[in-house]
């Protein structure tokens, strides 16, 4: 029986991951601040991960085969985790993000337009780390989300003392009301009400992943493979914002109303004027089989419409 520790795991694909680890016969421990209870039979440690002394104290003499970190956002959090779990685990898997590739947030090597980005474009072993920045400030962290993830990967790559892997997730959809960011619901609402959707003059495509597929990949990363380094996680197939709108419109029965946003105006989610869609070739080579986005998107749209229906005036 593998002993798996999940940091976070209280909502969305993290919650599903805990359930699937338990169903796979793993001995699961969940660490969070007590915002929600894990399933029956899962050990629950309540602590603020940012409090190193408290984290070390609650861990006691526990050791794990694998730690899956769902909520590591900064190099400071990563450094605390590296020290706290040193000697306690053989493998550490961190959930990261497609946003590490966003060229609007950092200078990256140029690639030909429309080329899916491989993992080596952002090498955590070579990424500079600044733990002296105001990572504890919520506004600063929100504005520097991508850089926080890049630096967290770098710290755990260099200072962890364990085998480290990062799963760089595409934009996650599915689950209806469970999709707490509300990005798919944004389109459902605007198309249902016939209100304008602000988009770029030229929308470039991106990649997505269903929340259940991401939970499956994290389960695989924790229990069925020993890869290290970054790994891109995205379903097959590119979509742009108009493709997404069309999929919703087909079920709502109304045509979307797109409007080109002004130069300084915010656009709707998933409207991009820059390319940073990921390649999932490495994960496939390691043995993970992805679905196609177009196969699961209609179901995700149905769930989003169902979650929104009670709010229609």
């Amino acid at each position: 029986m593998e002993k798996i520790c999940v940091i976070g795991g209280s909502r969305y694909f993290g919650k599903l991951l805990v359930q699937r680890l338990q169903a796979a016969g793993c001995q699961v421990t969940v660490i969070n601040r007590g915002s929600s209870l894990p399933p029956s039979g899962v050990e629950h440690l309540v602590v603020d991960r940012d409090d190193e002394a408290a984290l070390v104290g609650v861990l006691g003499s526990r050791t794990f085969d694998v730690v899956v970190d769902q909520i590591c956002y900064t190099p400071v959090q990563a450094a605390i985790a590296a020290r706290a779990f040193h000697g306690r685990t053989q493998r550490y898997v961190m959930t990261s993000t497609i946003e590490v590739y966003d060229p609007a947030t950092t200078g990256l090597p140029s690639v030909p337009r429309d080329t899916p980005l491989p993992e080596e474009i952002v090498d955590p072993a070579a990424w500079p780390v600044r733990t002296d920045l105001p990572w504890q400030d919520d506004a600063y962290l929100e504005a520097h989300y991508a850089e926080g993830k890049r630096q967290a990967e770098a710290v755990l790559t260099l200072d962890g003392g364990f085998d480290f892997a990062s799963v760089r997730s595409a934009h996650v959809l599915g689950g209806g009301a469970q999709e707490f960011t509300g990005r798919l619901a944004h389109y459902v609402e605007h198309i249902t009400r016939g209100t304008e959707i602000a988009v770029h003059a030229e929308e470039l495509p991106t990649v997505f992943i269903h929340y259940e597929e991401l939970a499956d990949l994290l389960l695989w990363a924790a229990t069925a493979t020993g890869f290290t380094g970054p790994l891109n996680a995205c379903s097959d197939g590119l979509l742009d914002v108009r493709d997404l709108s069309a999929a919703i419109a087909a079920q709502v029965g109304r045509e979307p109303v797109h409007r080109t946003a002004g130069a300084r105006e915010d656009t709707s989610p998933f409207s991009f004027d820059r390319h940073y869609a990921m390649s999932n070739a490495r994960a496939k080579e390691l043995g993970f089989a992805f679905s196609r986005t177009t196969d699961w998107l209609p179901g995700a749209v149905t769930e989003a419409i169902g979650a929104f229906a009670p709010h229609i005036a």
Side-chain angles (χ1 to χ4, degrees), residues 74-76 128-136 140 151:
T74 75
V76 175
V129 172
R130 290 283 306 277
T131 57
D132 59 326
L133 297 174
W135 295 111
Q136 73 284 353
Y140 181 87
Q151 292 194 27

Side-chain angles (χ1 to χ4, degrees), residues 258-292:
H258 295 113
R259 177 181 57 81
T260 301
R264 298 185 179 182
E265 183 183 359
D266 289 337
T267 57
S268 291
F270 308 130
S271 180
F272 298 106
D273 59 354
R274 55 204 184 275
H275 170 77
Y276 60 107
M278 301 185 297
S279 165
N280 61 13
R282 184 181 186 219
K284 289 181 176 178
E285 290 169 359
L286 290 167
F288 190 84
F290 289 98
S291 66
R292 291 196 62 81

Side-chain angles (χ1 to χ4, degrees), residues 167-170 208-209 214 217 231-235 278 280 290:
V167 173
R168 294 173 176 169
S169 169
F208 296 89
I209 191 166
L214 182 54
L217 188 143
L231 186 86
N232 294 337
C234 57
S235 302
M278 301 185 297
N280 61 13
F290 289 98

